[in-house]
Amino acid sequence: MVSKLDLYKVFCQVGKSESFSEAAKNMYMTQPAVSQAIMQLEKELDVRLFNRTPKGATLTHEGELLFEYANSAINLLHVGEDKILEFKNLTAGELRIGVGDTISRYYLLPYLEVFHNRYPNIKYKIENGTTLELISILKAGEVDIVICNFPLDDPTLELRPFADVQDIFVCGQKYRSILSKPISFDKLVKLPLIFLESKSNSRKYVEDYILSKGVRISPEFELGSHDLLLEFAKINLGIACVTREFSQEYLTNGLLNEVELIESIPKRSIGACSLKSVPLTRAAARFVEIIENERL
């Protein structure tokens, strides 16, 4: 197929220049090599493509018909090559990301801004959901990477941790005096607790750790938003389990207090995951590099 494609390229060049010698010059070939290529193509097609004259070469009726299609096909190939080059240089393409609302708002936005400023022609497809939902659409090929909560135990995934985060408990004014001293898990669970919904990966991590200490939680409220956890705790509906790094505004402004635990929950990570069996797109790979190198 490659050799025949080369024959068609020579054919189109001769057809444009109406000269074997001119075509040879334009293609950096010898004139005998050009003549041989045309003769080989004519033999394979069993048709004469050019009228040879002392003044040059003109297309036969059959040659004109073939030239119309062959020239269009080669032009399309050139357009395709140009598009591939655009994708390689990130002057075109799409970045498809799966990310939860909280990580998107409190972590990812500065990196998206940097990427957009550097590669303004890249389009975006952002899918939201829980970690498990996002992994599902990653495996379905709907996104290229997922930025989510770790840990994840899946041998099909390539994991790239970006940052450590700390799960904590916070309370409003009503509970400050009650929780003025460090508290154990078994006493904490006797208070009204506010957690993310059970299918949340970060909720599962905290719940599993507390359970490993022999204590089972039974939340008063199960919510679908990290911001709602903070708001519910602020109006004293209970003690909320939140991520410290995503709660700084409430803590700094004194809207909530961090509950001091006798035993802290171990830190976990947030990061990117992709399929081991599928190479990252150029855009996705560059976006990951920015997050790993910039550390905004």
Side-chain angles (χ1 to χ4, degrees):
M1 181 61 188
V2 173
S3 61
K4 184 170 286 190
L5 178 59
D6 289 338
L7 295 181
Y8 280 116
K9 287 181 177 179
V10 173
F11 164 71
C12 288
Q13 189 61 52
V14 175
K16 290 175 185 176
S17 59
E18 296 186 340
S19 167
F20 280 68
S21 58
E22 188 67 23
K25 180 180 176 182
N26 292 337
M27 300 188 74
Y28 302 98
M29 297 172 64
T30 64
Q31 183 170 334
V34 170
S35 298
Q36 181 63 34
I38 297 301
M39 286 177 11
Q40 183 179 341
L41 185 60
E42 288 179 325
K43 182 179 179 181
E44 289 193 17
L45 298 176
D46 192 24
V47 68
R48 185 162 57 89
L49 299 172
F50 289 99
N51 297 310
R52 280 88 164 168
T53 69
K55 294 183 179 181
T58 58
L59 289 164
T60 63
H61 176 71
E62 294 85 353
E64 288 178 352
L65 181 63
L66 181 62
F67 180 83
E68 180 181 348
Y69 289 100
N71 192 54
S72 296
I74 289 173
N75 285 336
L76 284 174
L77 285 174
H78 288 319
V79 171
E81 289 174 348
D82 290 341
K83 290 297 182 182
I84 290 296
L85 188 60
E86 288 179 3
F87 277 86
K88 288 178 66 178
N89 295 332
L90 294 180
T91 55
E94 184 178 36
L95 178 60
R96 305 185 306 162
I97 304 174
V99 63
D101 291 335
T102 303
I103 293 177
S104 179
R105 175 181 177 184
Y106 292 104
Y107 181 76
L108 204 62
L109 284 179
Y111 296 104
L112 285 171
E113 182 180 11
V114 170
F115 186 87
H116 177 68
N117 288 338
R118 292 182 188 176
Y119 309 106
N121 295 322
I122 298 294
K123 297 180 180 180
Y124 296 88
K125 177 184 178 183
I126 310 292
E127 296 284 352
N128 297 115
T130 65
T131 295
L132 295 181
E133 289 170 344
L134 295 174
I135 296 302
S136 178
I137 66 172
L138 173 67
K139 291 182 176 181
E142 297 178 26
V143 294
D144 302 311
I145 56 171
V146 167
I147 313 297
C148 62
N149 291 297
F150 290 178
L152 284 171
D153 184 16
D154 189 328
T156 68
L157 300 179
E158 182 78 32
L159 305 180
R160 298 173 177 83
F162 290 150
D164 288 337
V165 292
Q166 179 68 60
D167 296 295
I168 61 172
F169 287 88
V170 294
C171 67
Q173 182 67 40
K174 175 181 175 181
Y175 291 98
R176 286 178 183 174
S177 58
I178 302 174
L179 300 170
S180 59
K181 296 180 180 180
I183 188 172
S184 61
F185 290 129
D186 59 340
K187 291 184 179 179
L188 181 70
V189 297
K190 294 177 182 177
L191 298 169
L193 297 179
I194 308 170
F195 269 80
L196 286 172
E197 55 196 354
S198 59
K199 62 182 179 179
S200 161
N201 201 45
S202 56
R203 150 75 182 271
K204 185 177 185 303
Y205 175 77
V206 173
E207 186 171 9
D208 286 349
Y209 181 75
I210 295 177
L211 188 60
S212 73
K213 303 300 176 181
V215 180
R216 188 178 297 275
I217 68 168
S218 180
E220 193 84 7
F221 298 95
E222 293 182 306
L223 307 174
S225 161
H226 188 271
D227 287 346
L228 281 179
L229 296 175
L230 297 168
E231 288 296 318
F232 272 45
K234 188 180 74 171
I235 62 173
N236 301 302
L237 293 180
I239 316 302
C241 180
V242 299
T243 305
R244 179 189 285 150
E245 288 74 12
F246 304 153
S247 310
Q248 286 303 315
E249 182 180 347
Y250 285 78
L251 296 171
T252 302
N253 294 334
L255 300 174
L256 291 171
N257 272 16
E258 181 176 342
V259 176
E260 189 175 353
L261 300 173
I262 292 177
E263 182 178 359
S264 296
I265 300 166
K267 288 185 176 182
R268 55 182 176 83
S269 300
I270 56 175
C273 59
S274 57
L275 295 176
K276 287 182 178 179
S277 58
V278 180
L280 287 179
T281 64
R282 186 79 169 180
R286 185 68 190 111
F287 186 64
V288 168
E289 288 175 10
I290 288 175
I291 298 177
E292 290 177 332
N293 297 329
E294 300 289 339
R295 300 296 182 185
L296 301 176

